[in-house]
Amino acid sequence: MKIVNFNDLEEKDFLELENLDAKFVQKYGDSFADSYWSCDNFSYVLPLKYALSYVVTIDGIIEGYCVASLKNDCIYVHRFAVNSNTKIRSNFFNELLKQYGNKKIYLMVNVVNNAAINFYNKFNFKIVEEIKEINSFIAQDLNVNKEEIIITEDYRCYLMKKI
C-alpha cells in the first residue's frame, strides 16, 4: 500500500480516478453518490485541495482516493472511497487522519449508507446534523458556485465531525 498526494499525480491518474469513481457509483448507487465525478470534479480548485487529497495504490494501481479541502481552518472530506478490502480502507483512512493532524475534520454521508456511517464511527466521527438541502449547504459553506454543483434534491446526508 502506497499513499500518493494529489500534487504528485499525472493527468492520466485523474482519468483513472474518474473511471474508479464511476465503478463505485455503479456498484453502490445512491448510497455512495447521486452521480459519478468526472476529471473536472477531481481537479476542481478548492483551498488546499491538492495538498489535502490523496490516492492509495497497490502495486502501482490506484485503489482508492480521498478528496478534501480546507475551509475556516477545518478539513472537509468531499469524497472517500477504496476499492480494496476493509483493512486497506482502514489503514488508508488512519494515515489520512495522521496527515491531517489536529485539524477539525468534517464529512458528509448519505443517510442510508450505514456501512460508511459505521466505518466513520470507528474513527470517532459523530453525526452533527442531517443536511436536507446539500446543494445549498456545500455552495454556502465552501464558497463554491452553486451552478457548478449538480446534486439531486432528494440526496440527504449526515454531516459528521471527528470528535
Side-chain angles (χ1 to χ4, degrees):
M1 179 178 97
K2 182 178 177 186
I3 298 173
V4 180
N5 187 266
F6 264 39
N7 284 317
D8 298 323
L9 296 181
E10 298 175 12
E11 190 173 325
K12 68 174 180 63
D13 296 323
F14 288 97
L15 290 171
E16 198 171 329
L17 287 173
E18 179 180 308
N19 291 332
L20 189 57
D21 196 73
K23 288 178 186 176
F24 288 133
V25 172
Q26 184 178 26
K27 182 176 182 178
Y28 299 110
D30 284 348
S31 69
F32 175 69
D34 68 334
S35 62
Y36 81 92
W37 276 17
S38 68
C39 289
D40 290 341
N41 293 100
F42 283 103
S43 61
Y44 188 86
V45 177
L46 291 170
L48 291 179
K49 180 177 174 181
Y50 276 69
L52 296 171
S53 298
Y54 296 86
V55 298
V56 61
T57 65
I58 298 172
D59 298 326
I61 297 170
I62 295 176
E63 289 290 326
Y65 51 85
C66 177
V67 179
S69 67
L70 188 72
K71 176 67 176 172
N72 296 331
D73 206 33
C74 299
I75 294 174
Y76 286 82
V77 175
H78 302 279
R79 200 85 147 191
F80 176 80
V82 178
N83 199 29
S84 301
N85 65 40
T86 304
K87 184 177 179 183
I88 291 171
R89 186 178 304 116
S90 294
N91 288 343
F92 179 39
F93 199 71
N94 203 34
E95 289 300 315
L96 293 171
L97 295 178
K98 288 178 189 176
Q99 290 292 325
Y100 297 156
N102 293 326
K103 295 254 187 243
K104 292 179 186 173
I105 304 171
Y106 290 90
L107 52 83
M108 286 187 250
V109 179
N110 188 309
V111 296
V112 300
N113 193 341
N114 292 324
I117 293 166
N118 292 333
F119 175 81
Y120 295 124
N121 282 336
K122 292 177 186 175
F123 292 94
N124 296 317
F125 279 79
K126 301 297 176 209
I127 295 171
V128 177
E129 67 179 295
E130 182 176 340
I131 307 295
K132 293 181 181 171
E133 295 182 27
I134 189 171
N135 197 342
S136 298
F137 177 83
I138 292 173
Q140 171 193 15
D141 205 44
L142 293 173
N143 293 332
V144 174
N145 184 349
K146 195 172 185 177
E147 288 75 34
E148 295 180 15
I149 302 173
I150 301 170
I151 299 174
T152 58
E153 290 182 24
D154 61 350
Y155 192 79
R156 294 176 29 238
C157 291
Y158 290 130
L159 177 66
M160 297 184 79
K161 176 184 177 184
K162 177 134 175 52
I163 305 298

